[in-house]
Amino acid sequence: MNKAPLPLPAEHIPPGAADWRTPDAQRWLAAVPARWAHPLWAVLALVAAGVWYMEGSPAAACTSAAPCGTDWPGLLMAVVLVLTLYWVWRQPRLALAGLAAGLVGFAEDGGFTESFGEPYALAHPVAAAFAAAGLVHRLALAGRQRALALEAAGEVRQPLPGAARTFRRGRFSFGLAALLLAVAGFGYWQAQQVADAYEERAARATQLSGRVVALDRGDEDADFVKVEADGRTHRIETAFPEDFPEGSTVDLVVDGDWVALVAEPYDAFGWELLVLGGLVGGLAFFANGVDGRTRSVRLRRGPLPVLKVLVREDHEDGRTWVYAADDPEALRPVLHFHSMAAFEDEDKKEGEERAEGVDDDADAVDLAKFRQILKGEDPPPPLREAVLYGAPCTGAEVALAARPDEETPEVLVECSVTAVKPAVPKLLRSRSKSPAEGTGRKGPRRPVEEIAASMTPTDGLRVWKAHGLSRAVGVGLLLVQGGGMWAMLDDGFSWTWLWLVIGLPWLMTAVATALTWRITADRDGLWVTGAWRVRRIEWDAITAVRHSEDGIRIGTGKGSDNVELSPTGWAWLERRLGREPYAERAAEELRALQLSPELRPAEEAPAARQGMPVGPPLVALSVLWGAAVLLL
């Protein structure tokens, strides 16, 4: 039986707060954008149209009248286009502004004139129109979700809890934005230094005209043109050799041994890339900070609708999942977001605790929990009753009040730090899944009693070992290992051998484990076969068994090392094939044997049934393979 949700004290439930029941929650969940409006399709359309336009449209040649120096207006337009792709995914309103700016730049570049005669030019406005339609559709349905949430909450409005009113969003984003914009400023300064240095030297240099006599590719994989001017032949590096065919006339500036093409005065491309990356990252973080700050201010502006819900924190990534108030089994998640705790006066609270002398006990409990988390032995977070403040809709900010766990009687206020998202199936999914599976979220751990009931008592040994998909993973990693050794050793000794020293031990461990991992349960405990040895673990020494990140972890308590097997398969692929991950099922059955002695085998495992590690033979095989590559 699942535990009842952790109750919320009555004094923390606003009077008249309505339950968000399953029918209303499902109506809210149904108001999600159609699949055609998923941002992935808009991004792919915009990228494809942009690449087609760049490939199809003729590039302006570098000439003495229009030299190829720095193009800051063009770079700013590139920043807008890249940011628009990001905003299509994260900030629909800003994306609409970005699309409009992109179309203005497209028109100034003559794109609309070309659109009437060239398909590659017509693709961009069509892709922009498709993206805009999807954005408007998403914004309209977010408004529909907000209206449904307000309808479910009724007329009751309550002020935000005091702790949430002091919570501030955006500081981290603003800090990163300032750093990245400073990097962009540094890149701009350096590019200008390059341009100014050229202008200064060109001003005192001799200007000549010459004839291109040959094109030459140097040993550095760079292109050069040979130009005859004033009785001398100059060899000059160029980024665009196609602009200077043999026999054409070019202008040069010459200052002693220094010579440059007037059409290609200098190369600041690296600094321009730094400016591009810094501006894109800085403006993206700045926009996120402004958006988060604006939404949090709007949340604190006045009384808010409130809804009674159930919440659970994801055991893997800390995401908060919200369920309807009448869904005590947590079967159908409605929405999710990341959140952080908010405190009215944290320093005062800590001072009071220390004055009462309880801080040492609290620190000891926190340290014990931290150790459990590091070992992977911490229990999954409980399902909790909560009050949700704000009208939830896609992209909104909300706050909630709930007890954090069973040991803490105080109610904690949490504020969202990422936008609300509906718990809907992922876009690329071949089978119909439940909402919990559709979000990629692992369901709650099944009760031990349920697992034990499905296991038939037996006197014989119980064995779990590498299955077909696990061996396929092992073979794939083995091919990667062999190919990597071939690539690094084939050219003889070099610094790349350092990667073999660093990565080969881990890779051989993973290959050996995936190919032949084995766990044998007998009367007295477990025989665990890993990559390098077979470990014996008595039943009384086992403290926990978990499956996480394609590995099985067996906790053995204080004073002993935990036993971990990884990888033991590919759970992500098994779930998408509609199967229960084999290693996850093995961990559940091992947990049932640990807690239910009556299910344990009565037989003792002989040496032949305890398993054999293949790590040592794999080392010998790898040495032979490396020798063959070097010698042959």
Side-chain angles (χ1 to χ4, degrees):
M1 295 292 292
N2 289 334
K3 280 187 175 182
L6 193 63
L8 180 67
E11 60 270 20
H12 289 277
I13 301 176
D19 289 344
W20 201 10
R21 297 193 172 276
T22 297
D24 293 329
Q26 292 304 308
R27 287 173 60 208
W28 183 95
L29 197 57
V32 295
R35 285 179 175 266
W36 66 266
H38 193 283
L40 174 64
W41 307 131
V43 168
L44 290 177
L46 290 170
V47 169
V51 171
W52 192 10
Y53 182 75
M54 288 188 294
E55 288 292 326
S57 61
C62 299
T63 64
S64 298
C68 294
T70 51
D71 181 16
W72 297 121
L75 186 140
L76 289 177
M77 183 53 61
V79 169
V80 171
L81 294 176
V82 176
L83 279 174
T84 300
L85 296 177
Y86 171 71
W87 285 337
V88 164
W89 209 285
R90 294 289 303 274
Q91 305 280 1
R93 289 181 174 83
L94 287 177
L96 287 172
L99 288 174
L103 288 175
V104 170
F106 183 74
E108 291 183 352
D109 196 37
F112 283 110
T113 303
E114 296 176 4
S115 298
F116 293 103
E118 299 293 344
Y120 65 80
L122 183 61
H124 179 73
V126 171
F130 173 72
L135 293 169
V136 172
H137 178 68
R138 288 161 57 191
L139 290 171
L141 287 177
R144 171 64 176 161
Q145 286 181 327
R146 176 178 173 81
L148 290 171
L150 291 173
E151 181 182 337
E155 300 298 326
V156 176
R157 298 292 183 272
Q158 291 291 329
L160 202 62
R165 287 196 293 271
T166 62
F167 189 81
R168 293 292 180 268
R169 285 282 312 275
R171 285 176 290 190
F172 180 73
S173 293
F174 287 141
L176 280 179
L179 177 62
L180 291 169
L181 291 175
V183 169
F186 174 75
Y188 175 78
W189 176 69
Q190 289 291 337
Q192 287 299 109
Q193 291 288 99
V194 172
D196 292 343
Y198 167 79
E199 295 293 344
E200 181 180 346
R201 192 162 190 178
R204 62 173 185 265
T206 302
Q207 296 191 6
L208 301 173
S209 293
R211 185 173 61 88
V212 177
V213 295
L215 298 178
D216 178 29
R217 177 171 293 276
D219 296 335
E220 301 86 2
D221 199 28
D223 292 319
F224 295 85
V225 292
K226 290 183 178 180
V227 181
E228 285 187 354
D230 197 24
R232 294 178 58 188
T233 300
H234 301 278
R235 187 170 180 264
I236 311 167
E237 185 176 350
T238 174
F240 305 101
E242 64 275 7
D243 292 344
F244 311 106
E246 291 186 27
S248 61
T249 301
V250 295
D251 295 324
L252 308 177
V253 285
V254 181
D255 183 17
D257 293 334
W258 177 79
V259 60
L261 292 165
V262 174
E264 289 187 24
Y266 51 84
D267 181 12
F269 183 69
W271 296 117
E272 289 179 298
L273 278 182
L274 185 64
V275 174
L276 176 66
L279 282 178
V280 169
L283 292 176
F285 277 111
F286 181 76
N288 288 346
V290 170
D291 182 69
R293 182 65 58 87
T294 302
R295 291 181 184 277
S296 63
V297 169
R298 189 181 303 131
L299 192 67
R300 300 193 301 269
R301 188 169 295 165
L304 300 169
V306 290
L307 289 166
K308 291 163 61 179
V309 295
L310 300 176
V311 298
R312 171 178 276 148
E313 186 177 291
D314 193 289
H315 202 196
E316 301 295 332
D317 62 5
R319 190 185 305 270
T320 299
W321 293 81
V322 176
Y323 301 83
D326 57 350
D327 185 13
E329 301 293 326
L331 299 177
R332 296 173 295 276
V334 183
L335 57 91
H336 59 87
F337 52 86
H338 283 96
S339 62
M340 289 184 64
F343 302 97
E344 286 190 76
D345 193 347
E346 188 173 4
D347 295 336
K348 179 179 178 181
K349 180 178 178 181
E350 290 179 356
E352 291 174 353
E353 288 180 347
R354 295 188 180 277
E356 294 171 4
V358 301
D359 58 308
D360 293 336
D361 292 338
D363 289 343
V365 172
D366 290 342
L367 184 59
K369 288 184 177 179
F370 183 68
R371 286 172 178 167
Q372 284 183 323
I373 292 172
L374 289 179
K375 294 179 180 180
E377 300 170 0
D378 56 313
L383 187 66
R384 305 170 287 159
E385 293 182 354
V387 173
L388 196 66
Y389 289 85
C393 63
T394 302
E397 299 278 329
V398 294
L400 64 90
R403 287 174 57 193
D405 50 49
E406 296 179 355
E407 290 78 18
T408 307
E410 294 84 6
V411 171
L412 191 67
V413 176
E414 301 175 33
C415 295
S416 61
V417 293
T418 59
V420 167
K421 293 182 180 179
V424 295
K426 288 183 178 179
L427 177 66
L428 302 177
R429 180 168 296 275
S430 58
R431 295 170 182 262
S432 177
K433 299 288 183 180
S434 68
E437 294 171 318
T439 57
R441 179 179 184 269
K442 296 179 180 67
R445 180 183 293 177
R446 290 192 296 172
V448 173
E449 295 81 359
E450 179 183 337
I451 301 167
S454 65
M455 298 176 63
T456 304
T458 178
D459 292 336
L461 303 176
R462 293 185 183 270
V463 178
W464 302 267
K465 59 183 180 180
H467 54 302
L469 192 55
S470 178
R471 293 192 180 100
V473 170
V475 171
L477 292 175
L478 184 61
L479 293 176
V480 170
Q481 175 186 326
M485 292 179 64
W486 178 284
M488 293 183 185
L489 299 178
D490 189 42
D491 293 332
F493 180 79
S494 71
W495 67 270
T496 58
W497 286 24
L498 180 62
W499 293 112
L500 288 179
V501 177
I502 296 173
L504 200 56
W506 172 85
L507 196 55
M508 285 195 295
T509 300
V511 169
T513 302
L515 288 175
T516 59
W517 70 269
R518 180 187 180 101
I519 301 176
T520 302
D522 66 4
R523 178 184 61 196
D524 301 317
L526 302 177
W527 294 98
V528 183
T529 303
W532 307 105
R533 60 172 176 160
V534 179
R535 287 278 301 272
R536 178 61 167 172
I537 309 175
E538 304 292 338
W539 287 116
D540 293 341
I542 299 174
T543 58
V545 183
R546 283 193 61 196
H547 173 269
S548 63
E549 299 180 357
D550 292 322
I552 297 175
R553 180 193 294 267
I554 302 175
T556 56
K558 297 180 179 179
S560 301
D561 293 333
N562 293 332
V563 178
E564 184 169 1
L565 300 174
S566 179
T568 54
W570 194 357
W572 179 88
L573 181 58
E574 290 180 83
R575 289 192 182 96
R576 276 144 187 81
L577 293 175
R579 305 172 185 171
E580 181 182 16
Y582 177 80
E584 184 175 314
R585 177 69 181 181
E588 291 178 342
E589 292 180 352
L590 286 168
R591 194 180 308 117
L593 293 181
Q594 173 206 356
L595 300 176
S596 304
E598 67 276 6
L599 294 175
R600 299 171 187 171
E603 182 182 342
E604 184 177 355
R609 301 286 302 277
Q610 295 169 10
M612 183 182 73
V614 297
L618 184 61
V619 171
L621 181 63
S622 300
V623 170
L624 291 175
W625 174 248
V629 172
L630 288 172
L631 297 175
L632 300 179

